[in-house]
Amino acid sequence: MLCLLMYLVTLLGNIILISVTMLDSRLHTPMYFFLSNLSLLDIWYTSSALTPMLANFVSGKNTISFSGCATQMYFSLAMGSTECVLLSMMAYDRYVAICNPLRYPIIMNKRVCVQIAAGSWVTGCLTALVETMAVLHQSLCGNSIIDHFTCEILAILKLVCVDTSKVQLIMLIISVFLLPMPMLLICISYVFILSNILRITSVDGRSKAISTCAAHLTVVVLFYGTALSMYLKPSAVDSQEIDKFMALVYAGLTPMLNPIIYSLRNKEVKAAVKKLLIRNPLCVLLIHSSK
């Protein structure tokens, strides 16, 4: 019931966020364009991880085919990797908006935004393909029992009979490329953003800048915190139960909280949601019935 509730809230929140971004012309900006991509990623990622698990709970079966396992592993890795890149690009967008406001419409034009989003998706999908192929080409031994609730790549790697040093090296290189490097870009962006915010004399301008940046930073801490604890932790701290818990946070809790975090202190999103609900009484009925 807890996983089902998390999944439904994730779907509802992210679909509403995508809808208001598309329907309200005031939200046709680079920041909300990237936010829509983030919501789409969260829907895909949560669906790939939680839907099969919920189906297993209902059916009472805990088996999965090899092709199904490979597909689930690929999509989970692809969506997670894409989000790593996209969050760093969103930090760059905030840097340009706050530090170069006059040139912002020129630098972050529609073509550039589409290229950044497409580049994030392509990077995530390609790195996930490399990791998935590297693991699935290995020989599995034993009874192929996965000690996890999804086909998580680290859990599958423990079933491999042969030496996995090459696969682990590939995963380490990709993890460094997708985790510490984007985090470095985010930190550098926010150093410049913070120094610029401190120079803003207008109270309203400063509070608006802090509000949008605080939402992004909260999402970054949640996402990268769980990702780092899963993929770059020391081998001495290897615990399957902790991995399962962090995977649940990574796959269910973080995507559920993202739309709430971005809309909680955002007046533009709140106004757009109210406008959407007034125009569509059915949405209001669905929300009240879900409550």
Side-chain angles (χ1 to χ4, degrees):
M1 291 303 297
L2 176 61
C3 292
L4 178 61
L5 180 63
M6 289 169 62
Y7 181 58
L8 293 177
V9 172
T10 299
L11 282 183
L12 182 63
N14 284 290
I15 288 172
I16 289 176
L17 201 53
I18 293 172
S19 300
V20 297
T21 303
M22 292 176 62
L23 296 175
D24 197 313
S25 58
R26 294 173 299 177
L27 302 184
H28 292 174
T29 63
M31 184 180 80
Y32 292 107
F33 171 72
F34 294 133
L35 189 55
S36 296
N37 276 267
L38 182 64
S39 293
L40 186 60
L41 279 170
D42 287 338
I43 291 173
W44 271 88
Y45 185 76
T46 307
S47 298
S48 67
L50 294 187
T51 305
M53 183 176 65
L54 291 170
N56 289 339
F57 285 155
V58 173
S59 64
K61 299 178 181 178
N62 58 351
T63 58
I64 188 169
S65 65
F66 181 81
S67 58
C69 185
T71 303
Q72 186 184 53
M73 186 193 304
Y74 171 74
F75 277 106
S76 296
L77 286 171
M79 297 305 104
S81 301
T82 303
E83 190 161 340
C84 287
V85 182
L86 187 63
L87 285 174
S88 65
M89 293 298 100
M90 291 173 72
Y92 174 72
D93 170 68
R94 292 297 84 209
Y95 159 74
V96 178
I98 294 173
C99 299
N100 296 284
L102 298 179
R103 298 184 59 199
Y104 180 64
I106 301 172
I107 297 174
M108 299 299 294
N109 57 63
K110 187 176 180 180
R111 181 181 177 184
V112 171
C113 291
V114 171
Q115 289 175 343
I116 288 175
S120 301
W121 282 89
V122 170
T123 302
C125 291
L126 287 179
T127 53
L129 182 62
V130 171
E131 288 184 293
T132 304
M133 295 299 291
V135 172
L136 295 181
H137 270 95
Q138 306 299 312
S139 299
L140 302 180
C141 57
N143 49 16
S144 299
I145 296 177
I146 304 169
D147 188 16
H148 213 283
F149 58 81
T150 65
C151 284
E152 210 276 327
I153 188 168
L154 295 178
I156 300 296
L157 202 59
K158 292 179 180 179
L159 301 179
V160 176
C161 300
V162 296
D163 180 35
T164 60
S165 56
K166 289 183 179 179
V167 179
Q168 289 179 342
L169 180 61
I170 292 172
M171 290 178 59
L172 179 62
I173 293 171
I174 292 177
S175 296
V176 170
F177 174 70
L178 292 175
L179 291 172
M181 288 181 64
M183 283 188 67
L184 180 62
L185 177 60
I186 291 170
C187 291
I188 293 172
S189 298
Y190 273 101
V191 166
F192 286 104
I193 288 171
L194 182 61
S195 63
N196 200 79
I197 287 176
L198 293 175
R199 292 199 296 266
I200 297 176
T201 55
S202 169
V203 177
D204 291 337
R206 182 181 293 183
S207 62
K208 185 177 180 180
I210 291 174
S211 178
T212 55
C213 292
H216 179 253
L217 273 176
T218 305
V219 171
V220 166
V221 170
L222 280 172
F223 180 81
Y224 280 100
T226 51
L228 285 169
S229 65
M230 284 178 63
Y231 296 108
L232 288 179
K233 67 178 184 297
S235 56
V237 196
D238 189 17
S239 170
Q240 194 63 25
E241 296 306 316
I242 294 176
D243 286 348
K244 291 177 186 178
F245 175 75
M246 297 309 296
L248 186 61
V249 173
Y250 193 66
L253 187 62
T254 304
M256 181 184 72
L257 293 177
N258 282 355
I260 299 173
I261 292 169
Y262 272 105
S263 59
L264 198 60
R265 296 183 60 187
N266 194 314
K267 294 179 181 179
E268 294 174 335
V269 174
K270 286 181 181 178
V273 170
K274 288 179 182 178
K275 187 177 178 181
L276 176 67
L277 296 179
I278 291 171
R279 287 184 177 180
N280 299 273
L282 179 61
C283 292
V284 181
L285 181 62
L286 287 173
I287 289 175
H288 281 299
S289 64
S290 67
K291 288 181 181 178

